[in-house]
Amino acid sequence: MLNSLLALNGSDVLTVVGSMFFILGGITVFMIGMSMMGSNIEKAAGKSMRRLMGKATKNRFVGVGTGAAVTAIVNSSAATTVMIVGFVNVGLMTLTQAASVIMGANIGTTISAFIMALSSAGGASFSAAAVFALVAFVGFVFTLVGKSDKFKQVGAILEGIGLIFIGLNVMSGAVGDMLDNENVEGAIEGMFIAIGNGKETLTWEIIVLFLLGVLLTALMQSSAALTAIIISLASSNLISLQMAMCIILGANVGTCLTSLISSFGASVNAKRTAAVHLLFNVAGCLIFIFPVAFAGKYIAQFLNGIIPQTQWQIAIFHMVFNLLTTALLLPFLKYLVKLACLIVPEKNGGEEQEDSDTLDLRILKTPAIAVGQVRKQLLKMGEDAFTNYKLSLDMLLSGDLSRKDEFAERENNINAANKYIVSFLIRLSLTEISELDEKKVSSFFRVVSDIERVGDYAENIVEYAQKLIEDKVEFTDSAKDEIREMDSHISNLYKYVCSVFADSDLKYTVDVEREEQETDRMNEVMQQAHIQRMADGKCSAEAGALFLQLAVNMERIGDHMHNIANSVKDYGHGAVQQK
């Protein structure tokens, strides 16, 4: 092998270097195309993606189908697995559900190999790549002249598809250019013959090729890119099918690096998800490595009898390998999960809940689902703010401040959530999201501010409670009754606002409007009643001043809740409920 390489002269070396540059450029164009196509399909199919992920919770078979479908859409098993790690980290999926989706993701990624095989289709005069180069141009025109987001998304998808084939064609052309040079062709053939030509049973060469697949995929973080290179080499008869099979087995293990990296700093269950991915792929490779090593030539002969082109044989092997691995290991899903739990033990009992209550930056890779997760976190933040409001009112009416520390801790959590959600929304707004989701994200900025203000007014009420105790005064019974009546309307308002915001459903807006108007009315009632009590000498000046401020604060809490419900009008659905 070394002698073959040393035999190359300066001109031959320049040919190799130039071709390598084109191969790297082809990989770059290919990866850009994959990313462009996947992200725009995901954006266009945001609702479908959410429905698919929701179905994954039903059973393991549906989970496998969901993983395969989503990966076929985004065209990357690594991207799907990173999503799943994020979903588990925020509590959208259980570990068992995630494991079945990961198995499906390995099946869905096989579509890439068929796309690459198709790129080699066609005669010498006209290839599939030429057709898809035109598709890329058509997509470019669509994005230029398109008026609507949907039209531009279709254009971007077509551009992505075209770039995939252009990148593959550049790689194939670069390999062909090298082979046009007899010295270079001889050196490359000598190198691969030194590793093993696939005509006899391979021994140590299996390990070399397998590790090569692991290393290259880990470096490129894309098994699809490596598969494209393998198909280009195989199409030029530089490597045999048996050698390609060994590298593909290694690529399946190397792609796990992405999910392992994505699990750093995540919850225990998210780390276990990455461990399940690794265990599943390693187990599959262990099952198939021996048949490939000792019966590879027979497998090659069998595939050659089905279809003569090596690129299609590689695609078929890739698909069958993942289908059989899933079929063999799916019955042992629970044991894989248990093994992952042993490898990544629990650290403490509260960690899972703590982690699942935060927004995970990993789900930014799936903006459509990230938007839904932000809504959940806003609902939780709103629940905390309302809980603190109720607690503050209870302390004021009872004169018992023993739960003040609990209130303060929850208020700190509300403030921290406010900062993090705003930061997350800024990141989310910079991703490629649909027009509808863009409206939601824009409204969420206002919602998080309204919720934070509810928490601030609750703090004011606690201060009023403290002042009443310090001044040794209290409200009259009639004043307390008015406060309770105002509170009943605020509580009803909160219930209807949650119904509107949680489901983007406008049918309860009439109820929201009614209860908000009642808080306005009660504010006036409380102020008029206070004036009457002052005139009758039933209320002290200190208590009266605090009562008026309380009435205004409670009415403003109602205003902010009303704002949250109104924020849904930009994107909500459902008929307004008639009364």
Side-chain angles (χ1 to χ4, degrees), residues 182 194 219 263 311 345 386 534 536:
E182 292 182 0
L219 289 173
S263 70
Q311 62 268 25
F386 182 73
M534 289 290 290
D536 295 340

Side-chain angles (χ1 to χ4, degrees), residues 203-369:
T203 52
W204 65 269
E205 294 91 343
I206 287 285
I207 299 173
V208 173
L209 292 167
F210 175 83
L211 293 177
L212 184 65
V214 174
L215 179 62
L216 291 177
T217 305
L219 289 173
M220 291 188 287
Q221 291 195 30
S222 172
S223 60
L226 182 59
T227 304
I229 296 172
I230 293 169
I231 287 178
S232 295
L233 294 173
S235 299
S236 303
N237 296 317
L238 287 178
I239 61 172
S240 67
L241 176 60
Q242 189 178 10
M243 295 172 71
M245 288 189 289
C246 296
I247 299 172
I248 283 174
L249 291 178
N252 266 44
V253 175
T255 195
C256 296
L257 179 68
T258 307
S259 61
L260 289 171
I261 292 173
S262 74
S263 70
F264 290 166
S267 66
V268 169
N269 267 349
K271 292 184 176 72
R272 288 170 177 170
T273 303
V276 167
H277 187 211
L278 179 62
L279 288 170
F280 173 71
N281 283 10
V282 168
C285 290
L286 289 176
I287 292 170
F288 276 85
I289 196 75
F290 295 105
V292 168
F294 299 105
K297 63 179 180 180
Y298 301 110
I299 296 173
Q301 288 171 6
F302 173 75
L303 290 173
N304 193 53
I306 298 174
I307 187 167
Q309 288 88 359
T310 308
Q311 62 268 25
W312 289 105
Q313 292 171 4
I314 292 171
I316 291 170
F317 170 78
H318 194 206
M319 180 186 67
V320 171
F321 160 63
N322 284 292
L323 282 171
L324 288 179
T325 301
T326 300
L328 290 171
L329 295 179
L330 189 58
F332 304 99
L333 181 65
K334 290 183 179 179
Y335 299 103
L336 277 175
V337 170
K338 286 181 180 179
L339 183 55
C341 291
L342 289 174
I343 294 172
V344 185
E346 191 75 60
K347 289 186 178 179
N348 60 68
E351 181 177 345
E352 291 308 309
Q353 182 60 37
E354 181 182 352
D355 285 331
S356 66
D357 284 344
T358 61
L359 284 169
D360 193 322
L361 294 177
R362 296 167 185 82
I363 61 173
L364 287 171
K365 292 181 176 291
T366 320
I369 294 176

Side-chain angles (χ1 to χ4, degrees), residues 55-116:
K55 290 178 180 179
T57 61
K58 293 185 177 179
N59 60 59
R60 66 181 68 182
F61 299 105
V62 176
V64 170
T66 300
V70 170
T71 305
I73 290 171
V74 301
N75 219 359
S76 170
S77 61
T80 303
T81 308
V82 170
M83 288 182 214
I84 294 165
V85 170
F87 296 159
V88 172
N89 195 47
V90 297
L92 287 175
M93 276 185 181
T94 67
L95 182 57
T96 304
Q97 290 162 358
S100 64
V101 177
I102 285 172
M103 289 183 173
N106 276 29
I107 296 172
T109 194
T110 60
I111 190 70
S112 300
F114 283 96
I115 291 173
M116 295 158 204

Side-chain angles (χ1 to χ4, degrees), residues 34-56:
M34 291 276 282
S35 176
M36 186 179 292
M37 183 182 73
S39 64
N40 281 280
I41 289 177
E42 179 189 324
K43 199 161 55 165
K47 290 183 179 178
S48 301
M49 292 273 287
R50 284 194 289 267
R51 284 196 294 270
L52 278 172
M53 286 301 181
K55 290 178 180 179

Side-chain angles (χ1 to χ4, degrees), residues 138-214:
V138 171
F140 172 70
V141 172
F142 277 20
T143 57
L144 258 145
V145 303
K147 301 284 185 181
S148 67
D149 282 348
K150 287 290 182 186
F151 200 77
K152 289 182 178 180
Q153 284 166 9
V154 170
I157 291 167
L158 293 176
E159 270 190 89
I161 293 171
L163 288 175
I164 288 171
F165 283 89
I166 291 170
L168 291 168
N169 193 56
V170 169
M171 282 188 274
S172 297
V175 173
D177 288 344
M178 282 195 294
L179 296 182
D180 287 340
N181 185 308
E182 292 182 0
N183 293 334
V184 174
E185 181 184 13
I188 294 174
E189 285 180 350
M191 182 176 64
F192 281 112
I193 287 171
I195 297 175
N197 58 18
K199 293 180 181 179
E200 302 296 335
T201 300
L202 304 180
T203 52
W204 65 269
E205 294 91 343
I206 287 285
I207 299 173
V208 173
L209 292 167
F210 175 83
L211 293 177
L212 184 65
V214 174

Side-chain angles (χ1 to χ4, degrees), residues 18 30 115 130 133 138 148 153 176 212 260 320 341 363 378 392 398 418 426 431 443 464 509 528 534 559-560 572-573:
F30 170 80
I115 291 173
V138 171
S148 67
Q153 284 166 9
L212 184 65
L260 289 171
V320 171
C341 291
I363 61 173
L378 286 172
S392 68
S398 67
N418 173 44
I426 292 171
T431 63
S443 72
Y464 303 153
T509 51
Q528 291 298 323
M534 289 290 290
D559 287 343
H560 286 291
H573 59 82

Side-chain angles (χ1 to χ4, degrees), residues 355-394:
D355 285 331
S356 66
D357 284 344
T358 61
L359 284 169
D360 193 322
L361 294 177
R362 296 167 185 82
I363 61 173
L364 287 171
K365 292 181 176 291
T366 320
I369 294 176
V371 170
Q373 190 63 15
V374 172
R375 184 192 304 279
K376 289 183 179 180
Q377 293 302 311
L378 286 172
L379 284 166
K380 183 185 180 301
M381 182 182 171
E383 182 183 358
D384 286 344
F386 182 73
T387 299
N388 255 13
Y389 154 71
K390 296 292 284 186
L391 179 56
S392 68
L393 204 62
D394 180 66

